[in-house]
Amino acid sequence: MTFPARETQRTVAVPITDDAPRENGKTISLNLTSGVTKVVTATIVDDDSACTLPACETPA
C-alpha cells in the first residue's frame, strides 16, 4: 500500500472469520516506512465465550 504525498491516514481492512473454538487473541503488526520505520501492533480479541450449557458437557 502506498500513501500519496501529505496523506496521513489510511484504513486497513483485516478480514476476520468467525468460528466456534475459544482462542487466545491474535496479534497483527503493520510496518510503516517513510525514511523512518514505525511498527503499529493491534490485537484481535476472541469473541467466542466458553461453553457452559449442558449441551456442551462431555457425556460420561
Side-chain angles (χ1 to χ4, degrees), residues 24-48:
N24 292 328
K26 304 296 183 199
T27 302
I28 60 170
S29 295
L30 301 174
N31 296 319
L32 308 173
T33 305
S34 177
V36 175
T37 299
K38 174 77 175 176
V39 178
V40 179
T41 303
T43 301
I44 301 169
V45 179
D46 185 18
D47 67 346
D48 300 313

